Amino acid sequence: MSTRDTIEAIYAAVVRRNPGEGEFHQAVREVLDSIAPALAAHPEYAEAKIIERICEPERQIIFRVPWEDDRGEVHINRGFRVEFNSALGPYKGGLRFHPTVYLGIVKFLSFEQLFKNALTGMPIGGGKGGSDFDPKGRSGREVMRFCQSFMTELYRHLGEYTDVPAGDIGVGTREIGYLFGQYKRITNRYESGVLTGKGLAYGGAQVRKEATGYGAVFFADEMLRTAGESLDGKRVVVSGSGNVAIYAIEKVTHLGGVVIACSDSSGYLRDDKGVDVETLKEIKEVRRASLAEYVAARPHATYMPGRGVWEVPCQVAIPCATENEIDAAEATALVSGGCAAVVEGANMPATPAAVRVFAEAGVRFAPGKAANAGGVAASALEMQQNASRDSWSFTYSEQRLREIMRDIHARCYATADEYGMPGNYVAGANIDGFRLVAEAMLAHGLV
Ligand code: NDP
Ligand code: 2IT
C-alpha cells in the first residue's frame, strides 16, 4: 500500500471506531494530512503500526458526577478523562467545564495535547478531561460541591507520576483549588504535583496564569521577527476574554501592539484606544460578569451582541476563545481587512476551510499545538518546582517561558524547512510532534 493509501485507511478506521465525534475526526485528519513525508522517511513507523497506536487512546474514563445546588435540587453531570498517550511522561492536560463537552471534544483536545506536549521538550504525555457542567450562573459554593464530587471519582486515576490535570475553559485557579483540596482530603497526601495551575498560596507557580496568553504572543513575536517584522504598532484582534485572551492582550500591549477588539460568548467589544487590561481583569476575573460592562468604565468603547469580532479589520488575529470559531467566512473577512498573521491561542479555533483561505492569501499561520503550548510548558515548570520543593521568581519563570516558546518556534520552522515546506508551521509542528512521540513509542516496544 502507498503511504497515502495507508493514511486514508487509518483515517477511515478512526471515523468508524469513534462515531459521531466530529472534532476528534477533524484533529486526526489535520495531523495525518501533514505526516506523509515523515512516514516515507521512516518505514519503521508503519511497520510498528505507530499511527494506528497513536490514534487510539490508552485509556478513556467516563463517570457520573452527582451534586446538589443551593436549593437542594440534585443534578447529574458526566465527567471525562481521556488518557491518550504516556510515551513521553505522565498524562498531562487540562479539564474543561462547559455544556458542550462530550467524549469527542475531550478526545480531540487530548489528541492535540500529546503532540503539543512533545513540542515543549518537557517530560509530559497527553491527556484531557472535563464535564458538561455549566458553571455560568452557579454560586461559588455550587462550583465547589461540583468540583468535590468530580474529584471523588477522578482521584483514583491521578498522581504526579500518572496523570496531572490543569485548567481549560471554565476551570481556573478557583476550581483547581477545590479539586486539590478534595484530592488531599481523600488520599491523605499533600501531593503538590498532582494538579497544576494551583494558587500561589499553596504550590502554584509564577507565570502559570499568564503563560498561555504570553506564550502565544511570544510565538507571534518570533514568527513576525523571522519575517523581518514585529508586533510594535500592529492592530491586533483577540477573541475571547478569559484566561488565555486576557494575558495575550496584556503581552501584545507590552510589546507595543494595540488590541482593538476582544469578545465573549455573547458579543464583542471594540476599543480603538486599545483594550484596557485592568478593566478586563476586574470584569472577567474578579466579578465574572459580561464583557458588556466594559463600556460603563470606558464609554468611548462599543459592545455589540453576536459573533462579529472577526469583521474588525486588523493586521494580526489571535483567536483565544474556542474550537472552530473561524470558518471560511470569518477567514475571508480577516483577509479582506488586511490580516497578515494568525496565531492560535485556543485549541483548533480555525477550521480546515479557514486554514486553506489563509494559505491561499499568504497569511502567516501558527497552529495552536505550537503557539499555545506555553500554558502546558509552564505547568511542567510548576511540576518541576513542586518536585524539588522550590519556587522561582516571576522574572525567571517568564524568561524560561520565553526560551521555551523560542525553541518551539525554531523546531517547527526547522522541521518545515527540512521537509521542503518553508514557513509551513502546521507541517513543522505536526511532523516534529509526531516524530518525538513515535521515537519514544518505538523505544518502549509493543505496549
Ligand atoms: P476561559 O474559560 O478562561 O475563557 C474562555 C473565553 O472564551 C471566555 O471569554 C468565553 O466567553 C469564550 N468562549 C468559550 N466558549 C465559547 C463559545 N462556545 N463561543 C464563544 N465564546 C466562547 O478559557 P481559557 O481562556 O482557558 O481557554 C480558551 C481557549 O484556549 C480554549 O480553546 C482552550 O482549550 C485553550 N487553551 C487554554 C489553555 C489554558 O492554560 N487555560 C492552554 C492552551 C489552550 P464567556 O466569558 O462569555 O464565558
Ligand atoms: O490546552 C492546554 O494546553 C491546556 N488547557 C493546559 C494544559 C496544562 O496541563 O497546563
Side-chain angles (χ1 to χ4, degrees):
M1 237 199 260
S2 71
T3 304
R4 185 40 58 200
D5 290 346
T6 307
I7 287 174
E8 288 311 319
I10 293 170
Y11 180 69
V14 166
V15 172
R16 196 170 58 244
R17 287 161 65 78
N18 302 275
E21 297 177 3
E23 296 83 358
F24 178 51
H25 305 164
Q26 183 183 335
V28 170
R29 178 89 255 178
E30 197 253 2
V31 170
L32 294 186
D33 280 346
S34 295
I35 59 172
L39 293 178
H42 295 275
E44 68 275 20
Y45 295 165
E47 203 174 302
K49 296 267 195 308
I50 291 291
I51 322 174
E52 289 89 330
R53 284 156 63 193
I54 279 186
C55 290
E56 183 71 16
E58 289 177 14
R59 192 176 295 110
Q60 309 182 52
I61 301 146
I62 304 182
F63 52 100
R64 180 172 68 194
V65 189
W67 59 281
E68 227 177 34
D69 69 18
D70 288 343
R71 293 173 304 140
E73 192 181 330
V74 171
H75 300 264
I76 309 297
N77 284 100
R78 189 170 284 179
F80 302 90
R81 187 76 182 164
V82 173
E83 299 180 332
F84 225 108
N85 194 295
S86 60
L88 292 175
Y91 308 108
K92 181 82 196 89
L95 297 171
R96 177 179 291 191
F97 292 169
H98 194 270
T100 55
V101 167
Y102 78 107
L103 187 58
I105 295 262
V106 181
K107 238 187 245 178
F108 118 66
L109 289 166
S110 192
F111 184 76
E112 285 283 291
Q113 194 83 46
L114 84 97
F115 301 106
K116 179 195 307 191
N117 293 3
L119 289 171
T120 66
M122 324 278 293
I124 41 180
K128 200 88 183 195
S131 175
D132 57 0
F133 171 69
D134 187 358
K136 279 233 165 65
R138 291 293 170 196
S139 70
R141 298 175 76 83
E142 289 174 327
V143 169
M144 180 178 76
R145 283 196 293 276
F146 176 81
C147 289
Q148 290 174 338
S149 180
F150 185 84
M151 185 53 93
T152 300
E153 173 57 33
L154 189 64
Y155 87 95
R156 68 187 86 249
H157 305 288
L158 306 184
E160 66 173 311
Y161 297 110
T162 309
D163 187 349
V164 182
D168 194 79
I169 291 177
V171 178
T173 315
R174 175 181 67 170
E175 291 73 22
I176 294 294
Y178 295 148
L179 292 163
F180 184 77
Q182 185 72 352
Y183 182 86
K184 179 167 72 65
R185 187 176 189 193
I186 296 172
T187 60
N188 194 31
R189 282 168 63 87
Y190 205 110
E191 195 181 331
S192 299
V194 73
L195 287 165
T196 61
K198 298 183 291 297
L200 295 176
Y202 67 96
Q206 295 287 355
V207 185
R208 173 60 190 90
K209 183 176 64 174
E210 295 83 358
T212 313
Y214 278 21
V217 176
F218 289 151
F219 196 99
D221 190 45
E222 292 293 324
M223 185 166 87
L224 291 172
R225 277 168 194 277
T226 305
E229 294 178 43
S230 85
L231 272 167
D232 195 27
K234 292 271 189 314
R235 274 176 299 112
V236 181
V237 169
V238 173
S239 65
S241 49
N243 174 259
V244 180
I246 288 173
Y247 293 95
I249 294 170
E250 185 165 278
K251 189 48 74 181
V252 167
T253 312
H254 287 169
L255 297 184
V258 185
V259 178
I260 51 170
C262 65
S263 63
D264 64 5
S265 51
S266 311
Y268 69 100
L269 173 79
R270 177 139 189 196
D271 184 345
D272 287 331
K273 292 187 182 168
V275 171
D276 183 66
V277 173
E278 293 314 313
T279 307
L280 206 56
K281 286 182 189 173
E282 169 64 23
I283 294 168
K284 285 292 176 185
E285 292 186 337
V286 180
R287 292 196 281 119
R288 298 175 190 276
S290 165
L291 195 54
E293 299 195 6
Y294 182 95
V295 288
R298 309 259 297 173
H300 60 272
T302 51
Y303 180 81
M304 306 282 285
R307 305 180 53 142
V309 71
W310 301 121
E311 282 154 30
V312 178
C314 63
Q315 294 160 296
V316 177
I318 313 185
C320 297
T322 196
E323 58 275 0
N324 294 333
E325 56 171 303
I326 303 182
D327 204 351
E330 289 79 13
T332 305
L334 277 167
V335 171
S336 313
C339 180
V342 176
V343 177
E344 293 190 324
N347 286 305
M348 208 167 76
T351 65
V355 177
R356 276 195 296 277
V357 170
F358 294 141
E360 280 157 20
V363 171
R364 284 176 232 290
F365 180 77
K369 60 170 79 65
N372 73 34
V376 76
S379 279
L381 298 180
E382 182 172 335
M383 291 164 74
Q384 192 177 333
Q385 289 164 80
N386 292 153
S388 56
R389 299 179 192 279
D390 198 358
S391 84
W392 306 340
S393 70
F394 190 96
T395 308
Y396 177 67
S397 307
E398 188 181 5
Q399 185 193 323
R400 288 291 303 267
L401 173 66
R402 170 103 233 193
E403 285 161 7
I404 291 168
M405 296 314 297
R406 190 175 293 143
D407 287 349
I408 295 173
H409 176 273
R411 249 177 206 291
C412 297
Y413 192 83
T415 305
D417 245 8
E418 180 189 337
Y419 283 89
M421 294 175 272
N424 186 339
Y425 290 92
V426 172
N430 285 339
I431 293 175
D432 203 51
F434 174 75
R435 273 196 313 205
L436 290 160
V437 179
E439 289 298 328
M441 288 177 74
L442 275 180
H444 293 165
L446 187 53
V447 291

